[in-house]
């Protein structure tokens, strides 16, 4: 089984329906998309052979869809690059996986060539068109354990590692999405707000399998107004968005677009106050995922219905602040440092296993052995499970602040800071301290007139234990974030 199958099946069922759109303009129907993927597949296979790693460096563009399936049709490996990386960082990744070639958008091609990468195939050129000029290849018949996608981690903690995702992993992710979260059909659309090199791209297969159109904003970026317009213009709109993107939609003050059906959010913390504001603005269209590149998009989740209580109001804060239940086909546990299971409510490391979990990191046996020790994926995230089986995520284990021997989970302090009316964003880290080991420092983005440290202290003391209070507040205009919307705590530490 090769992931190309999902396109093959959609094209057989819905040949004439629109498959890929740039904004509101149709770029290809399903038969055309399959044909292009098969031609590209034959050309890649002839040039590089099965198993070759093929890089894709581009802001969101329609070609990414044909590249993904064309690379799979060739039985090659799709290696998308975060388009906001420095060209040298991209060059490092391409060298790490010994990529046979890289397809790049005109915007990024020059930077890559400048960083010594070659050859670079530039999208939209005559050279690109040549890849589609030959005969279409046959549909591949591939061992599902073969590598399909090298998913380079965001590298917020150091050098980026390539999580090896097989066709089986991606099919497990696809099936779990359709089982747990969304039920699209040929009258639905996946609108790519977030980068297709990451979360939004991983959602392409489930929507393609059901014949749901792929909509790529013409700007290639996330513009809240453009995104909401597209969710009016296309039927049955669904999207994956980082929590910060959801916040930007809410800030437009616009109502829910008539066709917006599903917003999957995740990849970073969604604070309870922000989630309630989003639910108030757009209604119960939200679904939360907790996952990581190593178990793509699929560890636990909160369904639409989990956001509601029995009377139709919003669910209690402890549910909205959780990451929900294990996803279909995934076993999730919380372990103590000695590997024994934690009690209900006890915080430990989150581990999981199932068909969705990667086989290891590319060319990195030491990291693979540590992360997959005992056959479980060690997520590096800390959390606890309540009596109803809901998982609450605390923080990455390396982000936990240990002050005077007590563990302080930044997320808990951030949740309370965010609930202050004068605070729009907050990030909490530990700073080295000779007396306490570490002390809590809060970076705060204020909306309107900034609250004073004394006011924030009073607000926190009303709600959480005194020892969790920040010893210092730093006011910023904005928090440093990756292009995937993750707050870069490493940069905050460097600033101190
Ligand atoms: P990545 O592999 O780049 O997608 O990053 C995965 C990490 O993002 C996870 O290990 C978590 O630390 C974090 N993360 C993912 N989903 C959530 C979520 N729903 N809430 C909070 N953090 C999340």
């Amino acid at each position: 089984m090769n992931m190309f199958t999902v396109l093959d099946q959609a094209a057989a069922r819905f040949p004439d329906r629109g498959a890929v759109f740039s904004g509101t303009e149709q770029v290809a129907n399903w038969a055309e998309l399959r044909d292009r993927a098969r031609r590209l597949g034959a050309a890649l296979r002839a040039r590089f052979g099965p198993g070759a790693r093929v890089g894709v460096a581009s802001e969101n563009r329609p070609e990414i869809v044909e590249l993904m399936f064309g690379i799979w049709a060739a039985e090659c490996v799709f290696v998308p690059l975060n388009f906001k990386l420095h060209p040298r960082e991209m060059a490092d990744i391409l060298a790490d996986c010994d990529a046979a070639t890289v397809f790049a958008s005109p915007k990024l091609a020059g930077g890559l060539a400048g960083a010594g990468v070659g050859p670079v195939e530039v999208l939209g050129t005559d050279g690109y068109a040549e890849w589609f000029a030959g005969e279409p290849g046959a549909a591949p018949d591939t061992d599902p354990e073969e590598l399909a996608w090298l998913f380079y981690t965001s590298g917020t903690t150091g050098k980026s590692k390539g999580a090896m995702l097989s066709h089986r992993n991606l099919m497990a992710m696809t099936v779990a999405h359709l089982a747990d979260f969304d039920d699209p059909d040929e009258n639905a659309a996946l609108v790519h707000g977030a980068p297709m090199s990451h979360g939004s791209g991983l959602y392409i297969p489930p929507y393609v399998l059901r014949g749901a159109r792929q909509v790529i904003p013409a700007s290639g970026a996330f513009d809240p107004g453009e995104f909401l317009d597209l969710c009016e213009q296309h039927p049955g709109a669904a999207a994956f968005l980082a929590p910060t993107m959801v916040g930007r939609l809410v800030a437009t003050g616009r109502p829910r677009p008539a066709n917006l059906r599903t917003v999957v959010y995740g990849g970073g913390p969604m604070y309870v106050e922000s989630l309630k504001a989003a639910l108030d603005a757009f209604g119960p269209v939200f679904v939360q995922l907790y996952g990581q590149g190593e178990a793509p998009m699929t560890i636990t989740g909160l369904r639409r219905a989990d956001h509601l209580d029995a009377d139709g109001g919003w669910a209690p804060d402890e549910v909205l602040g959780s990451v929900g239940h294990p996803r279909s086909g995934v076993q999730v546990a919380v372990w103590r440092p000695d590997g024994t299971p934690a009690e209900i409510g006890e915080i430990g490391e989150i581990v999981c296993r199932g068909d969705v979990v990667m086989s290891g990191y590319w060319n990195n046996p030491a990291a693979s052995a540590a992360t997959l020790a005992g056959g479980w994926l060690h997520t590096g995230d800390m959390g606890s499970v309540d009596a109803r089986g809901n998982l609450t995520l605390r923080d990455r284990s390396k982000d936990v602040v240990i002050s005077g021997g007590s563990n302080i989970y930044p997320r808990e302090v951030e949740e309370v800071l965010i609930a202050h009316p004068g605070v729009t964003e907050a990030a909490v880290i530990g700073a080295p301290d000779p007396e306490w080991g570490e002390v809590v420092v809060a970076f705060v983005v204020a909306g309107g007139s900034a609250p004073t440290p004394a006011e924030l202290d009073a607000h926190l003391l009303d709600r959480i234990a005194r020892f969790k209070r920040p010893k210092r507040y730093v006011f910023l205009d904005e928090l440093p974030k990756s292009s995937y919307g993750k707050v870069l705590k490493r940069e905050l530490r460097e600033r101190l």
Side-chain angles (χ1 to χ4, degrees):
M1 193 280 303
N2 179 304
M3 287 303 286
F4 178 80
T5 311
V6 304
L7 170 58
D8 213 14
Q9 291 175 354
R13 291 173 71 194
F14 312 112
D16 303 327
R17 294 186 70 93
V20 181
F21 289 72
S22 171
T24 52
E25 201 179 310
Q26 183 173 318
V27 176
N29 65 29
W30 290 106
E32 289 161 347
L33 178 65
R34 172 171 62 178
D35 183 67
R36 284 180 66 80
R38 286 176 54 190
R39 286 171 197 272
L40 173 63
L44 285 170
R45 199 185 168 97
R47 183 91 64 94
F48 305 121
R53 277 76 57 208
V54 178
V56 175
S58 174
E59 68 282 7
N60 283 0
R61 281 179 63 117
E63 292 95 331
I64 295 176
V65 184
E66 65 192 15
L67 283 166
M68 172 186 281
F69 287 99
I71 289 168
W72 289 337
E75 301 188 282
C76 290
V77 183
F78 180 58
V79 188
L81 304 173
N82 174 356
F83 69 92
K84 293 229 173 122
L85 290 179
H86 190 283
R88 272 202 303 276
E89 294 172 306
M90 293 191 189
D92 283 349
I93 289 176
L94 294 167
D96 184 64
C97 68
D98 192 16
T101 191
V102 57
F103 288 88
S105 65
K107 261 190 207 161
L108 301 181
L112 280 172
V117 173
V120 179
E121 303 292 336
V122 186
L123 306 186
T125 60
D126 290 348
Y128 183 65
E130 271 171 35
W131 284 97
F132 301 86
E135 288 302 306
D141 180 16
T142 308
D143 179 341
E145 298 305 332
E146 289 294 331
L147 192 52
W149 183 317
L150 264 185
F151 185 104
Y152 276 85
T153 58
S154 28
T156 46
T157 54
K159 200 169 156 299
S160 184
K161 297 191 285 283
M164 297 192 286
L165 304 177
S166 66
H167 293 275
R168 185 191 297 286
N169 296 149
L170 296 177
M171 190 51 96
M173 173 199 75
T174 298
V175 171
H177 183 73
L178 297 172
D180 303 336
F181 279 174
D182 205 10
D183 190 20
D185 60 19
E186 68 277 24
N187 295 309
L190 177 64
V191 182
H192 290 283
M196 292 162 81
S197 55
H198 201 80
S200 207
L202 283 164
Y203 278 153
I204 292 174
Y207 289 85
V208 167
L209 181 58
R210 294 286 181 83
R213 50 176 79 175
Q214 304 293 310
V215 177
I216 295 89
S219 69
F222 178 67
D223 173 86
E226 180 188 29
F227 176 86
L228 291 169
D229 289 345
L230 290 171
C231 296
E232 300 270 8
Q233 292 153 343
H234 288 281
F240 163 73
L241 298 176
T244 48
M245 293 174 163
V246 175
R248 290 180 60 199
L249 293 186
V250 174
T252 62
R254 286 176 53 173
R256 179 174 75 87
N259 290 336
L260 177 59
R261 226 166 29 93
T262 307
V263 172
V264 183
Y265 64 90
M270 173 69 114
Y271 300 105
V272 173
E273 290 302 315
S274 315
L275 179 54
K276 284 184 187 165
L279 287 162
D280 288 340
F282 297 117
V285 295
F286 293 96
V287 169
Q288 182 181 192
L289 78 90
Y290 160 54
Q292 53 180 206
E294 292 82 345
M297 311 304 259
T298 317
I299 300 177
T300 67
L302 273 182
R303 302 164 308 162
R304 265 190 208 82
D306 297 325
H307 290 73
L308 299 170
D309 70 12
D311 309 322
W314 308 141
D317 287 4
E318 60 270 25
V319 176
L320 297 182
S322 81
V323 294
H325 297 91
R327 299 288 304 282
S328 296
V330 184
Q331 194 181 355
V332 181
V334 173
W335 284 356
R336 299 182 178 128
D338 65 4
T340 57
E343 302 277 341
I344 299 285
E346 184 184 347
I347 296 171
E349 187 183 13
I350 300 165
V351 297
C352 71
R353 64 182 178 185
D355 273 359
V356 81
V357 173
M358 66 164 187
S359 56
Y361 295 111
W362 177 263
N363 213 1
N364 196 337
S368 304
T371 305
L372 294 173
W376 291 76
L377 171 67
H378 295 251
T379 63
D381 291 316
M382 307 296 287
S384 60
V385 176
D386 69 16
R388 288 183 301 183
N390 252 353
L391 178 70
T392 296
L393 207 62
R394 304 293 162 171
D395 285 281
R396 306 280 308 156
S397 51
K398 63 170 174 46
D399 287 336
V400 174
V401 183
I402 305 178
S403 189
S406 301
N407 283 4
I408 300 167
Y409 296 93
R411 166 90 186 246
E412 191 189 355
V413 184
E414 289 161 2
E415 287 272 11
V416 179
L417 283 169
I418 287 281
H420 188 285
V423 174
T424 52
E425 285 189 292
V428 163
I429 62 166
D433 180 83
E435 186 180 354
W436 298 97
E438 281 185 306
V439 291
V440 174
V441 177
F443 290 84
V444 173
V445 179
S449 65
T452 62
E455 283 164 357
L456 290 176
D457 266 353
H459 171 79
L460 288 162
L461 284 173
D462 267 353
R463 292 166 177 84
I464 50 172
R466 177 171 286 272
F467 73 92
K468 298 177 183 170
R469 209 167 32 126
K471 293 274 186 295
R472 200 177 143 199
Y473 296 93
V474 182
F475 290 87
L476 298 177
D477 291 336
E478 57 181 345
L479 296 176
K481 294 196 190 94
S482 74
S483 57
Y484 300 143
K486 285 184 205 292
V487 174
L488 295 170
K489 293 201 166 176
R490 180 190 54 187
E491 267 187 33
L492 293 175
R493 285 190 195 98
E494 282 165 9
R495 283 192 199 191
L496 286 182

